[in-house]
């Protein structure tokens, strides 16, 4: 074991939406910051490479195996690289709605209240939208929360066929809105280009180590603080020391790391006196709908439209149903490997078509419904193995959303050649994972306090999607980013 002789003010583990953003926020303090990232730098895919090969390779599924509750192994769809999952995300940057922070009755149970409210997050949402260059337009969606400032950039225009659908859906009486998207000079904004790279370039106090997988946290003898971060780099073990340790490994890996760091003082795992570490895993109920059209499209356009008319329910079903957005040009999604399921459905329907042709004659719709926190949906570790026990709930609400949207598509697009839902997103799709170390005021019912510091250890924080007590139905990244900025402000005060 090599003991690093430098001492850091802050050690951040992971560089995704949470860790990358926090690195950006803390860099100007001049404090000595070490960032440990298990992945390397991901090469940007050239559009020349778009084709089948990328799709077939299952790129962006992590090379390691996790196990489901039946003990079956799978490769999780998660990206280990500088920028984490923001390197492969779709850049949709949505705020949670005001009511999402309150207790909400769903058909299958209660989505719990947050210890902080929308107004507490609002200034950080504004900061996050500026930082990640959100392009959007307020005012079209009745569920949209209040804003202190307009979007920093005007919305990305719809491709003409999406504009047509949007117009028809409006005439039908719904309220399609521009999907807020983070776009920079080189495409979608991510936490490498926005957070980590500028932090390293503009300051000499931030050290990034890539290929650095944290395997265990060691505490002092009383167990009150984390003393050292054990990390594998090139097959060698290192110990890094710092005043403040921040985990931002993603909700599943942060929980697993805490559980793997069990010791005499923390026999159930670090920060786990509540027995809640790893529990309440949520990941959204998701379905993709493929809509075939006679006219070809470019296949490479952005997601630009969303519909929230069923978000809180409707006159026939008074419980929340969820959120709908277009999946973007399907070729575009092939690049980011999100849509192979869509294309495998299309391939069966139109045998003989190449993937590229299929993609150009298809539109995708992405439907997501809130799943409710259930302590039995959880991450556990046994030896070196990571298990996910996840049983979907709130399923009827999702089915109803699916039914409603198919009805709308049928009623508004008479030319459509078919509408094909592809449901039951499998266990390996953990794109919207959250909730495994929920925050709150009560150490018995939460893992983190409202500053995302663990109740049990004074210098240990978790700043990724783990902190969510519930996950709303909108996509999570902007809330993770806003929270990292919020916690960053707290840490800046603490570091003074
Ligand atoms: C295909 C896809 C599309 C998506 N589209 C959207 C979207 O449009 N809008 C949206 O809001 N959300 C979207 N998401 C979800 C969004 O990307 C995630 O919610 C967000 O990135 C999670 O941020 P995080 O900080 O919690 O974790 P991550 O971004 O997953 O970052 C975790 C980081 O920790 C590193 N790490 C893990 N374990 C260790 C370890 N032991 N040691 C060192 N480093 C470690 C990882 O390599 C990674 O860099 C999408 C996700 C996917 C996969």
């Amino acid at each position: 074991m090599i003991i690093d002789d430098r001492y850091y003010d802050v050690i951040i583990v992971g560089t995704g939406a949470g860790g990358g953003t926090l690195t950006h926020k803390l860099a100007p303090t001049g404090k000595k910051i070490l960032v440990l990232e298990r992945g390397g730098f991901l090469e940007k895919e050239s559009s020349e490479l778009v084709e089948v090969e990328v799709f077939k390779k299952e790129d962006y599924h992590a090379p390691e195996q996790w196990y489901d509750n039946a003990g079956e192994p799978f490769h999780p769809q998660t990206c280990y690289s500088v920028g984490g999952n923001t390197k492969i995300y779709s850049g949709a940057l949505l705020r949670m709605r005001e009511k999402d922070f309150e207790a909400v009755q769903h058909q299958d149970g209660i989505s719990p209240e947050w210890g902080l409210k929308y107004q507490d997050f609002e200034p950080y949402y504004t900061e996050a939208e500026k930082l990640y260059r959100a392009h959007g337009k307020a005012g079209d969606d009745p569920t949209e929360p209040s804003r202190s400032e307009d979007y920093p950039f005007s919305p990305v225009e719809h491709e003409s066929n999406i504009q047509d659908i949007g117009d028809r859906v409006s005439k039908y009486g719904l309220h399609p809105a521009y999907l807020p998207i983070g776009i920079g000079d080189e495409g979608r904004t991510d936490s490498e280009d926005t957070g980590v790279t500028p932090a390293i370039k503009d300051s000499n106090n931030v050290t990034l180590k890539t290929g650095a997988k944290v395997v265990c946290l060691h505490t002092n003898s009383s167990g009150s603080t984390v003393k050292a971060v054990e990390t594998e780099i090139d097959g060698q073990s290192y110990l890094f020391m710092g005043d403040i340790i921040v985990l931002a490994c993603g909700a599943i890996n942060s929980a697993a790391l805490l559980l793997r760091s069990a010791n005499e003082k923390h026999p159930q795992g670090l920060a786990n006196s509540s027995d809640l570490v790893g529990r309440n895993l949520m990941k959204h109920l998701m379905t993709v709908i493929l809509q075939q059209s006679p006219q070809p499209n470019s296949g490479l356009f952005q997601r630009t439209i969303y519909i929230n008319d069923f978000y809180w329910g409707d006159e026939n079903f008074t419980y929340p149903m969820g959120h709908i957005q277009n999946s973007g040009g399907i070729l575009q999604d092939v690049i980011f490997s999100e849509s192979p399921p869509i294309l495998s459905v299309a391939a069966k329907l139109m045998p003989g078509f190449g993937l590229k042709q299929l993609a150009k004659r298809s539109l995708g719709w992405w439907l997501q419904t809130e799943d409710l926190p259930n302590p039995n949906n959880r991450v556990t570790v046994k030896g070196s193995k990571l298990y996910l026990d996840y049983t979907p709930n709130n399923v009827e609400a999702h089915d109803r959303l699916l039914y409603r949207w198919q009805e709308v598509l049928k009623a508004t697009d008479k030319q459509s050649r078919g509408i094909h839902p592809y449901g039951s997103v499998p266990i390996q799709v953990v794109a919207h994972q959250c909730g495994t170390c929920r925050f709150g005021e009560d150490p018995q019912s939460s893992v983190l306090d409202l500053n995302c510091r663990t109740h049990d250890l004074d210098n240990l924080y978790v700043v990724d999607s783990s902190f969510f007590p519930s996950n709303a139905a909108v996509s999570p990244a902007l809330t993770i980013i806003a929270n990292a900025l919020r916690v960053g402000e707290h840490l800046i005060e603490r570091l003074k």
Side-chain angles (χ1 to χ4, degrees):
M1 181 100 67
I2 298 170
I3 300 176
D4 189 75
D5 54 6
R6 274 156 297 186
Y7 194 87
Y8 296 93
D9 296 302
V10 185
I11 299 178
I12 299 173
V13 187
T15 58
T21 306
L22 185 68
T23 304
H24 154 87
K25 183 81 180 181
L26 296 185
T29 60
K31 297 287 176 186
K32 275 175 80 181
I33 300 170
L34 173 66
V35 182
L36 298 170
E37 166 55 56
R38 68 181 284 175
F41 287 93
L42 198 67
E43 277 181 36
K44 286 199 193 302
E45 293 288 357
S46 126
S47 50
E48 311 293 312
L49 289 176
V50 162
E51 309 284 343
V52 191
E53 281 315 305
V54 178
F55 162 49
K56 282 187 182 156
K57 275 193 296 189
E58 279 206 339
D59 273 13
Y60 314 128
H61 282 236
E64 69 188 359
Q65 285 187 332
W66 294 352
Y67 296 83
D68 68 13
N69 56 5
E72 287 299 319
F74 62 90
H75 290 291
Q77 185 201 32
T78 195
C79 179
Y80 294 143
S81 72
V82 179
N85 278 307
T86 67
K87 293 309 286 182
I88 59 168
Y89 80 155
S90 307
L93 295 176
L94 291 126
R95 298 179 177 207
M96 283 171 45
R97 280 39 196 156
E98 278 118 337
K99 229 168 92 180
D100 283 321
F101 291 82
E102 307 295 338
V104 177
Q105 180 68 53
H106 285 245
Q107 207 252 352
D108 232 10
I110 293 202
S111 167
E113 181 183 4
W114 287 39
L116 294 176
K117 301 298 170 184
Y118 176 77
Q119 287 311 332
D120 299 310
F121 274 78
E122 203 285 333
Y124 304 103
Y125 275 135
T126 302
E127 190 180 343
E129 286 172 349
K130 286 182 188 159
L131 184 62
Y132 280 75
R133 299 171 63 90
H135 290 57
K137 174 172 176 283
D140 292 336
D141 163 21
T143 73
E144 203 176 341
S146 59
R147 319 172 51 88
S148 57
E149 290 181 34
D150 205 345
Y151 281 99
F153 298 94
S154 47
V156 178
E157 289 304 325
H158 302 310
E159 171 122 332
S160 63
N161 55 348
I162 292 293
Q163 182 68 55
D164 288 348
I165 293 179
D167 292 344
R168 288 197 296 270
V169 168
S170 286
K171 272 198 201 128
Y172 186 78
L174 302 186
H175 301 84
Y178 282 100
L179 185 69
I181 297 276
I183 306 267
D185 296 336
E186 292 183 27
R188 287 179 267 216
T189 45
D190 60 55
S191 61
E192 177 198 343
D193 295 342
T194 307
V196 182
T197 303
I200 294 169
K201 222 165 78 189
D202 301 343
S203 50
N204 54 15
N205 54 311
V206 180
T207 307
L208 168 69
K209 291 194 187 293
T210 57
K213 181 182 173 190
V214 173
V215 291
C216 185
L217 305 179
H218 298 277
T219 66
N220 61 0
S221 53
S222 70
S224 60
T225 57
V226 175
K227 212 174 71 179
V229 177
E230 186 180 335
T231 308
E232 281 173 10
I233 303 175
D234 288 335
Q236 181 66 253
S237 287
Y238 289 78
L239 276 188
F240 296 104
M241 251 85 68
D243 273 342
I244 290 174
I245 313 300
V246 182
L247 298 189
C249 305
I252 292 171
N253 277 309
S254 284
L257 184 52
L258 291 172
L259 294 171
R260 285 191 174 122
S261 302
N263 62 25
E264 210 176 278
K265 297 285 173 193
H266 300 274
Q268 302 191 94
L270 284 199
N272 199 18
S273 59
S274 61
D275 188 29
L276 285 172
V277 170
R279 293 188 186 269
N280 297 305
L281 171 69
M282 294 165 279
K283 63 187 200 85
H284 278 152
L285 304 173
M286 293 171 167
T287 296
V288 172
I289 290 184
L290 177 80
Q291 183 182 9
Q292 286 173 257
S293 80
Q295 291 88 24
N297 60 64
S298 71
L300 280 170
F301 54 91
Q302 289 285 349
R303 297 176 179 217
T304 57
I305 199 168
Y306 78 95
I307 295 94
N308 258 8
D309 289 89
F310 308 109
Y311 200 83
W312 298 120
D314 66 9
E315 64 283 4
N316 297 317
F317 185 73
T318 53
Y319 301 106
M321 284 186 263
H323 166 85
I324 299 162
Q325 52 182 254
N326 76 308
S327 76
I330 295 196
L331 257 187
Q332 172 119 348
D333 273 356
V334 172
I335 305 172
F336 294 98
S337 291
E338 190 173 354
S339 296
I342 307 190
L343 289 176
S344 58
V345 174
K348 281 187 202 131
L349 297 164
M350 294 188 265
F353 270 70
L355 276 177
K356 194 169 175 181
Q357 291 154 300
L358 280 176
K360 288 186 167 189
R361 286 194 185 267
S362 307
L363 290 174
W365 296 97
W366 192 249
L367 280 67
Q368 56 198 40
T369 297
E370 180 167 353
D371 50 348
L372 302 168
N374 174 347
N376 297 322
N377 283 343
R378 64 187 295 202
V379 180
T380 51
V381 293
K382 286 176 202 141
S384 62
K385 289 184 175 174
L386 188 159
Y387 289 82
L388 286 194
D389 201 337
Y390 178 84
T391 307
N393 57 44
N394 216 16
V395 176
E396 184 181 335
H398 188 63
D399 289 346
R400 289 194 183 247
L401 180 67
L402 194 53
Y403 178 76
R404 295 287 193 285
W405 188 238
Q406 289 180 89
E407 285 300 299
V408 173
L409 292 180
K410 281 180 200 153
T412 55
D413 188 4
K414 304 285 182 212
Q415 281 197 316
S416 170
R417 291 205 172 146
I419 291 159
H420 308 280
Y422 180 88
S424 321
V425 167
I427 184 103
Q428 56 265 39
V429 178
V430 289
H432 292 186
Q433 60 183 275
C434 65
T436 54
C437 299
R438 53 160 59 170
F439 82 159
E441 278 169 315
D442 179 0
Q444 294 196 321
S445 59
S446 55
V447 176
L448 308 174
D449 72 9
L450 294 181
N451 289 320
C452 290
R453 187 185 68 94
T454 59
H455 289 297
D456 298 354
L457 290 107
D458 178 55
N459 67 340
L460 178 60
Y461 289 76
V462 183
V463 185
D464 51 29
S465 61
S466 305
F467 82 101
F468 283 38
S470 68
N471 74 350
V474 289
S475 307
L478 192 72
T479 302
I480 301 166
I481 292 165
N483 185 59
L485 296 169
R486 184 184 71 84
V487 176
E489 223 164 80
H490 158 81
L491 287 174
I492 290 169
E493 277 306 305
R494 179 169 171 164
L495 286 162
K496 274 180 187 167

